[in-house]
Amino acid sequence: MSTRSRVAAVRERFGDLDSLLVTSLPNIRYLTGFTGSNAMVLITRRKAVLFTDPRYTLQSVAETAGSGVEARTVKGPLELTVVKKLKGLRKVGFESGTIGYASWEHFAKAAPLEPSKGLVETLRMVKSEDEIAAIRASVDTNSQAFAAAIGRFRFGMSELDLAAEIDYQMRLLGAEKPAFETIVAFKANSALPHARPGAAKIDRNGLLLIDMGSFRGGYASDMTRCLHLGAPAAKTRQLYRAVLEAQLAAIDAVRPGVKAGSIDKAARGTLEKHGLAKAFVHSTGHGLGLEIHETPRIGKGDKTKLASGMAITIEPGAYLRGQGGVRIEDTVLVTPTGVEILTPTPKQLTIL
Ligand code: ZN
Ligand code: ZN
């Protein structure tokens, strides 16, 4: 879908709105192509205008070309200009998930507002061919960065050293930046699903969990792999096998028309069978694209139906205090007939 048809698709979803005020920057990028850090877009039945500040005059005109959105530079706070433009509108949809209370109050004085959370996000769930190509490139870059960083691993490096190496390799390979703070968690830290890398030295014996993602061409990738320093104990191998089995079962369940919740059930059911139900403390996955976390959420009871063109992660995990944690995560694509695993990195437990 081109940016021009995206604006048209938004209008088709207006319902009884006569306009939509877009304040989420990823939504603005999706609809207009604009990549700057300060903008608001007002879409009415007849027109779509992007307001930005003088730092972005040239960039906004260049990036929005062909989107059907007119770029306009304003001086001073964007809100003041937008408030003026809202006057006379009958029912303005606004992005209730991203707008602050003070801004809402300001806008609400100018025109009747109606929360329209998720209007653009729903469109963003199914990716175009160009977006899928961008996600593929991002995933490949991310996996190459992982391989390069592991190749440079030395015993005694800290979690932070390895995280820095990963981020450095990503950028050398063409990523703009990490898609989130890279997680490198050794031994007991690996039992914390969202650990921050610290000064802990990665030396002998223990699980090493790495969760990393890149932004390339604006699109995110996301992967988790576990390695082991020294020979793993039998119970660690068992834990790893159980999580891998859950991950494969969830991937196997992915196809168009299936509810997101049933993918989660496939992973959760497998871990339950291994007595690890309580050790799996998060959802099975999430959509990704211009943001690292997008709808659909691949979580318990989620009724969103998967559709061809959705890019999602599959990342079950099991976390045992004292022993460590295992998570295995791939970025996958829902295809017309099932699923394609985009992440090329092998999934056996690598021993360092
Ligand atoms: Zn993820
Ligand atoms: Zn991840």
Side-chain angles (χ1 to χ4, degrees):
M1 204 182 340
S2 69
T3 42
R4 183 179 285 273
S5 49
R6 287 172 187 167
V7 172
V10 165
R11 281 202 185 96
E12 278 165 26
R13 297 169 155 263
F14 265 10
D16 62 349
L17 301 174
D18 64 352
S19 52
L20 177 72
L21 178 61
V22 187
T23 47
S24 143
L25 286 170
N27 284 349
I28 289 174
R29 180 168 185 167
Y30 182 74
L31 295 173
T32 72
F34 179 67
T35 62
S37 65
N38 186 32
M40 290 185 189
V41 172
L42 182 61
I43 303 173
T44 64
R45 295 257 175 209
R46 294 186 358 242
K47 252 173 117 159
V49 183
L50 175 135
F51 301 95
T52 186
D53 68 68
R55 292 174 299 166
Y56 292 120
T57 304
L58 295 177
Q59 183 185 329
S60 61
V61 170
E63 288 181 336
T64 60
S67 69
V69 179
E70 179 197 330
R72 223 179 274 176
T73 301
V74 302
K75 293 209 174 93
L78 302 184
E79 250 176 67
L80 295 179
T81 302
V82 170
V83 160
K84 284 185 208 152
K85 302 292 172 192
L86 293 184
K87 289 199 173 124
L89 292 171
R90 199 175 29 79
K91 197 179 243 187
V92 184
F94 74 100
E95 300 188 304
S96 51
T98 54
I99 207 163
Y101 181 66
S103 302
W104 177 84
E105 262 191 327
H106 203 177
F107 295 136
K109 280 182 191 148
L113 298 182
E114 173 97 352
S116 64
K117 195 167 172 262
L119 200 150
V120 182
E121 283 83 350
T122 308
L123 283 177
R124 279 170 50 194
M125 285 201 294
V126 173
K127 270 67 186 176
S128 68
E129 286 303 318
D130 287 354
E131 291 184 290
I132 291 167
I135 292 168
R136 272 183 207 282
S138 179
V139 166
D140 285 343
T141 301
N142 198 49
S143 283
Q144 285 167 27
F146 172 80
I150 294 305
R152 297 172 75 95
F153 172 75
R154 297 290 173 266
F155 289 90
M157 269 178 141
S158 70
E159 292 171 342
L160 276 169
D161 291 338
L162 184 53
E165 185 66 49
I166 287 169
D167 295 358
Y168 176 65
Q169 292 297 336
M170 261 180 212
R171 287 189 128 148
L172 278 185
L173 288 160
E176 291 104 43
K177 59 180 180 182
F180 52 89
E181 214 178 295
T182 300
I183 296 173
V184 175
F186 185 52
K187 273 187 171 168
N189 292 343
S190 67
L192 311 171
H194 219 258
R196 271 239 167 85
K201 292 263 178 280
I202 307 169
D203 41 31
R204 303 285 156 176
N205 293 320
L207 272 164
L208 174 64
L209 184 151
I210 297 173
D211 188 352
M212 58 187 284
S214 305
F215 270 122
R216 180 166 193 156
Y219 280 81
S221 46
D222 198 356
M223 169 176 86
T224 308
R225 287 293 182 268
C226 287
L227 302 98
H228 200 278
L229 276 84
K235 61 177 184 178
T236 304
R237 285 191 186 277
Q238 226 167 32
L239 178 66
Y240 191 85
R241 269 200 300 268
V243 174
L244 183 57
E245 194 186 319
Q247 206 245 4
L248 296 174
I251 291 176
D252 216 39
V254 174
R255 59 185 171 277
V258 161
K259 286 185 186 133
S262 66
I263 310 303
D264 183 81
K265 203 173 174 186
R268 216 165 285 281
T270 307
L271 287 171
E272 201 167 20
K273 209 177 69 191
H274 288 278
L276 291 166
K278 285 208 176 89
F280 180 25
V281 295
H282 52 76
S283 305
T284 294
H286 52 88
L288 85 181
L290 287 170
E291 289 177 281
I292 183 64
H293 293 121
E294 298 188 356
T295 42
R297 192 179 75 92
I298 313 298
K300 213 174 188 169
D302 195 293
K303 293 189 172 57
T304 313
K305 280 197 178 148
L306 298 188
S308 176
M310 286 184 179
I312 58 174
T313 70
I314 301 291
E315 51 177 307
Y319 310 91
L320 300 174
R321 192 197 283 202
Q323 188 184 338
V326 169
R327 177 165 66 252
I328 304 170
E329 176 181 26
D330 288 326
T331 301
V332 310
L333 178 70
V334 185
T335 65
T337 51
V339 63
E340 181 187 345
I341 302 173
L342 300 182
T343 308
T345 304
K347 282 193 279 208
Q348 76 274 21
L349 180 60
T350 304
I351 317 280
L352 288 175

